[in-house]
Amino acid sequence: MQTLEKLKALDLPAFCNARGLEVFENVSLSKYSYLKTGGTARYVVYPRSVDSLVSILAHLVETGQRFKIIGNTSNLLFKDATDYSVLICTLWLNDISVVNGELVAECGASLPELSRQALYSGFRGFEGLEGIPGTVGAGIFMNAGAYGSEIKDTLLAVDFADPDGSVRRISAAELGLDHRSSLLRKGQLDGTILRAYFRGMPGNVTSIYSKMEIFHEKRHRYQDFLYPNLGSLFSGSPYDVFARRDKSVRWMMKYDLWRRRFAKYFLKGTPTDRKWINAYVVKRLGLSYSIQPFSDKTMNCLVNRGQGTDAMIAYIQQMQALTGGKIPLENEILEAF
Ligand SMILES: Cc1cc2nc3c(=O)[nH]c(=O)nc-3n(C[C@H](O)[C@H](O)[C@H](O)COP(=O)(O)OP(=O)(O)OC[C@H]3O[C@@H](n4cnc5c(N)ncnc54)[C@H](O)[C@@H]3O)c2cc1C
């Protein structure tokens, strides 16, 4: 059956209305998604409880309807002029509580909120999650982290829905969390994270707060906050790969480092952009584009300057060819379904 016919037969709005799930039809992804790209989503469904999330997942699997679970879409590149059928958004499942010394968070709770709750409770190990604009479920899916903390440091277990709709509790070890990766991300485990249990490791509140403040300031200095973007494009530094493969880039990067150090100590501070070295790398390695697809702050961040997703993907492909696949792509490109 064609996707559209399947969707009609499914009568998703009727199912959602009967069970108190909110459903939006024909959602423009260029307005809705974090990167502000994409065609239309036929349905975006918002479960209001973990039970209703399980019920809609079971229903979609039973009826053979393809879907994608999403959090805040801060790692997803939806393609322009491309239609998607059903998106299940977890953002309304955002409860966080402290139970028996553990932090318990629903899958749609935001990572910044999780780190704030850890601060209020005096739990350390969540400080680096403060500025990651994603959700707990997706954070586990890719073992999100920054500034020395990652999800796997504190995660104990999750409530997990298997594709057949059965729910079980599985340990963090069973998720195979690794650097920005997990068995889910590798496609070796299929299912949805419903709720997560984190170890509450007691820490000093003043020291937790000051770490969060330092990371917050750093993030705003070195990350693009003007153009829509998805954070790091690759899980690793393309500059390091370029420096290893090209002697001239290596020397220019060393020179750039000294320039920046000089600026830090003798001028008004380190420049927050890398325009100079970026321009050198682009020319030296022969990257081509008509609208600059990356942030001035780093070539490892794709930005939306209105160039369209074909041009964004062309940039990703050029970078993949230049890095020889040595660093995995972190952002996820979504094909139509
Ligand atoms: C400005 C900016 C800064 C960023 N900084 C960082 C950083 O420092 N460190 C870092 O690690 N990432 C960073 N990111 C990337 C991104 O925020 C993370 O990947 C985050 O975990 C994505 O969360 P999300 O809710 O937006 O997920 P989405 O983009 O909506 O989804 C990502 C993937 O997770 C899957 N998923 C979502 N929910 C579930 C669930 N409940 N169960 C199973 N699978 C699920 C989706 O199907 C999808 O495949 C940054 C992004 C931006 C825009």
Side-chain angles (χ1 to χ4, degrees):
M1 216 191 296
Q2 294 302 305
T3 306
L4 198 64
E5 287 167 9
K6 238 182 189 173
L7 280 169
K8 275 185 198 150
L10 185 67
D11 199 359
L12 201 62
F15 179 90
C16 292
N17 292 336
R19 285 162 184 80
L21 294 103
E22 194 72 39
V23 59
F24 296 91
E25 286 188 50
N26 299 321
V27 176
S28 163
L29 291 167
S30 62
K31 295 200 181 83
Y32 173 89
S33 69
Y34 204 90
L35 187 60
K36 303 284 174 262
T37 63
T40 303
R42 181 77 174 95
Y43 295 113
V44 181
V45 179
Y46 285 76
R48 293 175 193 273
S49 67
V50 169
D51 286 348
S52 65
L53 169 59
V54 175
S55 77
I56 183 81
L57 293 173
H59 180 65
L60 292 169
V61 170
E62 218 173 271
T63 48
Q65 173 55 51
R66 286 193 65 192
F67 65 91
K68 174 87 176 160
I69 184 106
I70 57 167
N72 201 23
T73 68
S74 64
N75 200 40
L76 297 177
L77 192 162
F78 292 95
K79 291 166 78 172
D80 294 338
T82 302
D83 292 339
Y84 301 88
S85 50
V86 183
L87 302 176
I88 309 290
C89 179
T90 63
L91 285 180
W92 291 3
L93 307 176
N94 51 22
D95 188 63
I96 303 176
S97 54
V98 179
V99 182
N100 300 328
E102 290 176 7
L103 266 180
V104 182
E106 287 181 342
C107 57
S110 84
L111 294 171
E113 197 49 40
L114 181 74
S115 72
R116 262 190 294 278
Q117 292 297 332
L119 167 72
Y120 304 153
S121 311
F123 295 150
R124 67 191 157 86
F126 298 82
E127 297 89 336
L129 308 179
E130 180 272 340
I132 304 178
T135 55
V136 164
I140 296 169
F141 175 87
M142 57 106 65
N143 187 28
Y147 301 111
S149 351
E150 52 186 356
I151 291 271
K152 93 186 211 316
D153 300 339
T154 48
L155 185 70
L156 292 169
V158 298
D159 290 340
F160 187 77
D162 283 304
D164 67 2
S166 55
V167 175
R168 60 191 168 120
R169 184 159 305 175
I170 59 178
S171 71
E174 288 171 89
L175 292 165
L177 301 178
D178 206 342
H179 183 68
R180 304 297 164 268
S181 178
S182 70
L183 294 181
L184 283 160
R185 173 113 211 211
K186 289 178 187 153
Q188 293 169 15
L189 177 68
D190 192 10
T192 303
I193 289 152
L194 305 173
R195 198 180 279 109
Y197 301 83
F198 295 93
R199 184 183 301 117
M201 297 185 295
N204 177 295
V205 175
T206 313
S207 133
I208 295 170
Y209 180 86
S210 92
K211 274 190 186 171
M212 286 169 75
E213 198 173 38
I214 291 167
F215 299 155
H216 187 88
E217 198 259 339
K218 274 196 177 177
R219 198 176 268 281
H220 280 258
R221 248 179 108 64
Y222 299 113
Q223 207 162 50
D224 211 304
F225 279 89
L226 296 181
Y227 291 106
N229 69 80
L230 300 174
S232 298
L233 177 57
F234 293 100
S235 308
S237 165
Y239 295 98
D240 290 349
V241 181
F242 297 153
R244 277 199 297 274
R245 77 166 250 187
D246 188 301
K247 209 169 162 185
S248 154
V249 171
R250 186 156 65 242
W251 280 108
M252 284 305 182
M253 282 189 58
K254 280 187 182 159
Y255 174 60
D256 187 52
L257 195 70
W258 281 108
R259 274 178 73 233
R260 297 168 79 81
R261 283 204 181 136
F262 181 83
K264 181 173 179 184
Y265 294 115
F266 298 110
L267 303 174
K268 283 185 186 149
T270 320
T272 54
D273 68 66
R274 285 173 154 174
K275 282 184 186 174
W276 184 83
I277 190 70
N278 291 348
Y280 184 82
V281 169
V282 166
K283 202 164 168 205
R284 172 84 189 161
L285 301 184
L287 273 154
S288 65
Y289 46 79
S290 42
I291 296 176
Q292 185 183 308
F294 54 84
S295 165
D296 282 337
K297 294 189 173 184
T298 167
M299 293 178 75
N300 195 23
C301 176
L302 179 76
V303 293
N304 185 353
R305 287 190 166 93
Q307 69 270 47
T309 54
D310 284 349
M312 291 179 187
I313 292 167
Y315 172 66
I316 294 174
Q317 287 166 345
Q318 287 187 70
M319 291 291 275
Q320 282 175 319
L322 288 170
T323 52
K326 290 198 173 70
I327 39 177
L329 183 64
E330 186 160 314
N331 298 162
E332 203 176 312
I333 302 170
L334 279 191
E335 301 299 334
F337 62 87

